[in-house]
Amino acid sequence: MNWIMSVFGIPLGYIMWACYQLISNYGVCIILFTLITRLLLMPFSIKQQKNSARMAVMRPKMEALAKQYGDDKQKYQEELMALYSREKYNPMSGCLPMLIQFPILFGLIDVVYKPLRHLMHMSADAIEQMTETAKVVLGGEISAYSPQISAIQAFHQAPEQFSFLEPEMITQLQNFDFNFLGMDLGQIPTLGWNLLIIIPILSGITNLVYSIYSQKMQEKISPQNAQTGGMMKGMMLMMPLFSVFFAFQVPAGVGFYWLVSNIMMFIQGVVLNVVINPEKFLAEAKAKEEAEKLLAEEDRKRRRLEAAEQQRERQAEGKNKKKEKEKPKKEKDPGELTEKEKNRRKLAEARRRDAEKYGEEFVDVTDEDLD
């Protein structure tokens, strides 16, 4: 886990360092850094949102298959794969953005927890020596989660104990400003009447608000989750409590990062739900499906009418043929005689005229006379 945090923390650390060079205030630096990193993660968030929208469209079809093939798991899986193929949907596409974001989030934590390394580029030996000295200065009250922030705080309390550092590093530490809106973000919040207690409380509240909002959005596109989401609702309440608890275990700067991150994730979630609204996708998909059903029904009606019309035409044609067969045969019109018959008549007429002219006997024309 540590190597993952370190690998992704190095490039992200330079972003944090650039922010600190631009604005030499730790609190403002965290806000700017969080904003930039959320923007960098935006493509993955958009991809995940689009996947949620597509899943909202796919879920009713998947539920219909589960209902139809509930007892035949193999057939259900075959039909489910066929559905994925028809819809060109990859069920793993929603996991990829989350898998990519996890190591990046660990890198973000590494950057926030380790300002000596990422903001001041201090060597590992110097950091270890500072941490050990901080334990002495603070009487062992050093954060196990973010000892580097505690070390910077110890330096401000007793700079003479850190004389082993190089002058350049001492100057950087002297100029390091933990103050933000009257709060020392290097201090660990404690229960009691103090300004720092606001950070753990707000961190928990913003986490809860974001969780409730996400849950409501999920229930809108998947109403059955409202009935089976008891465990999820329990987790939704537990996570803010854990957030508050851990915010009292680390320097206020870490809790402040969680607070800012919760706010920005909530804003991002609202924007994405407006621009890429799964509920809207589902409504459009239903409307499209209804339109396709109407078109299919109209096409079936049209084909039935065409088939009925063709059947009537065939019946009418059959009746006409039957009438033609039942008609009495007529003698052929001379104009309809064959060429041979015409020649026979012409030859017979010529012989008749010759017979009358010469007083001879008329001899009828035979087929041999025509050959």
Side-chain angles (χ1 to χ4, degrees):
M1 186 65 69
N2 288 333
W3 71 267
I4 294 178
M5 295 175 70
S6 298
V7 168
F8 285 87
I10 291 172
L12 293 170
Y14 279 99
I15 297 175
M16 184 75 157
W17 174 81
C19 293
Y20 188 74
Q21 296 302 310
L22 182 64
I23 303 173
S24 299
N25 181 278
Y26 190 57
V28 178
C29 180
I30 286 177
I31 295 174
L32 185 58
F33 172 73
T34 309
L35 176 61
I36 292 173
T37 52
R38 292 315 308 177
L39 290 175
L40 291 175
L41 291 172
M42 182 65 76
F44 302 110
S45 300
I46 292 173
K47 179 71 175 176
Q48 196 170 346
Q49 184 74 9
K50 286 182 177 179
N51 185 74
S52 297
R54 292 197 66 190
M55 178 53 70
V57 176
M58 293 283 293
R59 186 172 285 108
K61 299 177 182 179
M62 294 168 63
E63 290 171 355
L65 289 178
K67 186 176 181 180
Q68 184 176 358
Y69 304 103
D71 297 331
D72 191 343
K73 301 298 182 183
Q74 182 177 353
K75 183 64 175 177
Y76 169 71
Q77 288 297 327
E78 291 175 358
E79 292 297 325
L80 187 62
M81 292 300 106
L83 175 64
Y84 288 156
S85 178
R86 289 194 303 272
E87 299 290 337
K88 298 179 180 179
Y89 175 76
N90 182 3
M92 296 301 296
S93 62
C95 301
L96 183 60
M98 294 181 66
L99 292 176
I100 293 174
Q101 286 186 73
F102 271 124
I104 295 176
L105 292 174
F106 284 125
L108 293 175
I109 293 172
D110 191 70
V111 171
V112 175
Y113 283 21
K114 300 176 180 178
L116 290 177
R117 178 185 181 187
H118 296 292
L119 293 184
M120 301 182 187
H121 298 156
M122 190 177 289
S123 66
D125 291 339
I127 292 173
E128 184 178 357
Q129 196 171 0
M130 270 198 74
T131 304
E132 292 301 321
T133 305
K135 291 178 181 179
V136 176
V137 173
L138 300 175
E141 295 181 3
I142 186 170
S143 171
Y145 300 101
S146 53
Q148 292 188 21
I149 297 178
S150 296
I152 297 174
Q153 185 65 26
F155 172 85
H156 284 287
Q157 290 185 20
E160 68 280 358
Q161 298 290 328
F162 296 86
S163 57
F164 56 84
L165 295 173
E166 297 179 1
E168 181 183 352
M169 194 59 61
I170 290 175
T171 302
Q172 287 190 47
L173 288 168
Q174 288 173 341
N175 295 329
F176 196 90
D177 186 9
F178 271 125
N179 183 67
F180 180 74
L181 299 178
M183 295 180 291
D184 187 350
L185 299 182
Q187 294 281 355
I188 298 177
T190 58
L191 290 172
W193 189 253
N194 60 82
L195 197 57
L196 284 181
I197 199 174
I198 295 175
I199 290 179
I201 293 173
L202 289 180
S203 176
I205 291 174
T206 53
N207 190 312
L208 180 62
V209 169
Y210 176 67
S211 299
I212 292 174
Y213 175 77
S214 299
Q215 182 72 17
K216 293 295 182 184
M217 291 297 103
Q218 191 65 28
E219 288 178 0
K220 279 187 177 181
I221 61 176
S222 182
Q224 69 274 14
N225 284 354
Q227 301 174 0
T228 61
M231 183 179 296
M232 292 298 296
K233 289 180 179 179
M235 289 293 294
M236 182 180 67
L237 295 174
M238 289 300 296
M239 288 305 295
L241 294 177
F242 278 121
S243 177
V244 173
F245 172 77
F246 283 112
F248 279 107
Q249 311 301 313
V250 294
V254 177
F256 183 68
Y257 166 73
W258 295 343
L259 167 61
V260 175
S261 184
N262 290 338
I263 293 172
M264 290 189 179
M265 284 194 297
F266 176 76
I267 294 172
Q268 176 183 282
V270 172
V271 172
L272 287 179
N273 276 312
V274 171
V275 178
I276 309 172
N277 191 335
E279 194 176 9
K280 181 181 178 182
F281 269 64
L282 182 58
E284 290 176 352
K286 287 182 178 178
K288 182 179 178 181
E289 188 176 349
E290 291 297 324
E292 289 176 350
K293 286 182 180 178
L294 289 175
L295 288 174
E297 183 62 29
E298 290 178 0
D299 186 59
R300 285 193 293 270
K301 288 181 180 179
R302 179 183 58 79
R303 288 199 298 268
R304 285 198 296 267
L305 290 173
E306 289 178 352
E309 183 64 26
Q310 291 174 359
Q311 180 67 20
R312 285 194 294 269
E313 290 177 356
R314 285 194 295 269
Q315 290 176 351
E317 184 178 351
K319 289 180 180 179
N320 291 335
K321 287 182 179 179
K322 185 177 181 181
K323 287 180 180 180
E324 288 293 331
K325 288 181 180 180
E326 292 175 352
K327 285 182 179 179
K329 293 184 178 179
K330 295 182 180 180
E331 292 184 3
K332 289 186 178 179
D333 188 79
E336 297 177 356
L337 297 175
T338 63
E339 191 66 26
K340 187 174 182 179
E341 289 176 341
K342 289 180 181 179
N343 291 335
R344 181 193 299 275
R345 290 195 178 193
K346 287 180 181 179
L347 182 57
E349 185 64 26
R351 283 185 178 183
R352 188 177 290 107
R353 286 196 301 269
D354 289 341
E356 291 177 354
K357 181 176 181 181
Y358 299 107
E360 297 177 355
E361 184 181 356
F362 173 73
V363 179
D364 199 5
V365 178
T366 63
D367 291 340
E368 293 179 357
D369 296 328
L370 296 174
D371 292 337

